């Protein structure tokens, strides 16, 4: 079985950032790489992204299901889905299968299209959401990222400062975990633009 790497989101002042590594590994052989370009972060709105980690088949299935439900919502309501509504929808989907859960964890990062407030939230495999005003993460190197986030993150980061903090956190976390890496993509979401940058990290 193949397993995804990690996703990290941080909140700044009027902005949020979400990032993922590119590693796809084998759950039965830790440290073995299957691919170095596996997509884990998806754009689901003008200012909203979701990151999914876990078994590849479950990640793809959950992505297809939430994309379908989001389309139905937006057709019926004739408006973009808010981050809070999207989180509730994803949480409900995962909770429906709690007795035979999808092996997926999720992170939602957005700037609310109506209030323009930054929003980040993590969701575990049975749909329990955890909203934070600092940082959230999921995936293989959660212990390493927790320590680096606690060390590097500070409130009220500007977009460039947020990108630098994300990059340093990912780089140092990947150095301490062999099941992640092979490059990373960072998205910084502001009210009027989205910045996407690829950073070079360990590839061994």
């Amino acid at each position: 079985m193949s397993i995804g790497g990690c996703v990290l989101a941080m909140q700044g002042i009027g902005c949020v950032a979400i990032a993922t590594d590119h590693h796809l590994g084998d759950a039965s052989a830790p440290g073995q790489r299957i691919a170095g370009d596996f997509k884990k972060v998806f754009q689901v709105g003008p200012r909203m992204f979701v990151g999914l980690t876990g078994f590849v088949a479950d990640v793809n299935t959950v992505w297809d299901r939430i994309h379908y439900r989001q389309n139905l919502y937006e057709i019926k309501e004739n408006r973009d889905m808010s981050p809070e509504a999207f989180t509730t929808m994803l949480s409900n989907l995962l909770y429906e299968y709690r007795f035979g859960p999808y092996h997926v964890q999720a992170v939602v990062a957005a700037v609310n299209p109506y209030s323009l407030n930054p929003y980040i939230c993590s969701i575990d495999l049975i749909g329990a959401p955890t909203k934070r005003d600092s940082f959230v993460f999921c995936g293989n190197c959660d212990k390493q990222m927790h320590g680096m986030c606690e060390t590097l993150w500070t409130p009220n980061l500007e977009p460039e400062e947020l990108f630098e903090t994300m990059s340093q956190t990912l780089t140092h976390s990947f150095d301490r975990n062999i099941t992640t890496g092979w490059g990373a993509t960072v998205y910084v979401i502001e009210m009027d633009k989205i910045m996407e940058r690829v950073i070079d990290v360990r590839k061994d």
Side-chain angles (χ1 to χ4, degrees):
M1 291 182 289
S2 52
I3 190 167
C6 63
V7 174
L8 168 67
M10 284 185 180
Q11 183 169 313
I13 181 167
C15 61
V16 295
I18 185 169
T20 179
D21 67 332
H22 300 161
H23 183 271
L24 177 64
D26 189 340
S28 62
Q32 181 174 332
R33 181 176 63 89
I34 296 174
D37 58 353
F38 181 58
K39 184 177 179 65
K40 307 179 192 75
V41 171
F42 308 91
Q43 186 169 0
V44 292
R47 302 182 186 90
M48 181 164 58
F49 286 75
V50 62
L52 301 170
T53 64
F55 292 123
V56 171
D58 288 352
V59 167
N60 291 335
T61 300
V62 169
W63 165 240
D64 287 342
R65 287 177 180 255
I66 60 178
H67 190 53
Y68 172 74
R69 293 189 182 196
Q70 182 189 13
N71 285 340
L72 287 181
Y73 175 95
E74 293 181 350
I75 290 171
K76 180 180 178 180
E77 299 291 330
N78 195 29
R79 61 190 174 98
D80 290 332
M81 206 174 216
S82 70
E84 292 81 4
F86 183 84
T87 299
T88 300
M89 178 197 68
L90 178 53
S91 177
N92 289 341
L93 170 64
L94 296 175
Y95 188 72
E96 286 176 20
Y97 295 89
R98 63 193 179 279
F99 297 116
Y102 291 115
H103 292 277
V104 168
Q105 294 175 299
V107 165
V108 179
V111 174
N112 191 299
Y114 307 108
S115 66
L116 300 182
N117 292 325
Y119 176 93
I120 57 173
C121 182
S122 64
I123 307 171
D124 69 12
L125 80 168
I126 60 169
T130 302
K131 185 181 180 303
R132 300 283 299 275
D133 295 325
S134 51
F135 52 84
V136 293
F137 46 79
C138 65
N140 291 356
C141 65
D142 53 349
K143 295 179 178 63
Q144 291 81 7
M145 280 196 293
H146 194 182
M148 293 310 304
C149 288
E150 291 281 5
T151 301
L152 298 175
W153 182 85
T154 57
N156 300 322
L157 291 169
E158 297 288 343
E160 283 296 332
E161 296 173 324
L162 187 60
F163 168 75
E164 183 64 28
T165 301
M166 291 280 286
S167 301
Q168 292 295 325
T169 300
L170 293 170
T171 300
H172 292 298
S173 298
F174 296 163
D175 284 344
R176 292 160 173 80
N177 190 297
I178 64 169
T179 64
T180 54
W182 280 86
T185 302
V186 181
Y187 303 87
V188 180
I189 309 158
E190 301 178 61
M191 291 182 290
D192 56 347
K193 64 180 179 179
I194 297 172
M195 176 180 67
E196 177 183 351
R197 293 179 181 172
V198 176
I199 61 174
D200 191 22
V201 298
R202 62 189 296 273
K203 293 183 178 180
D204 56 8

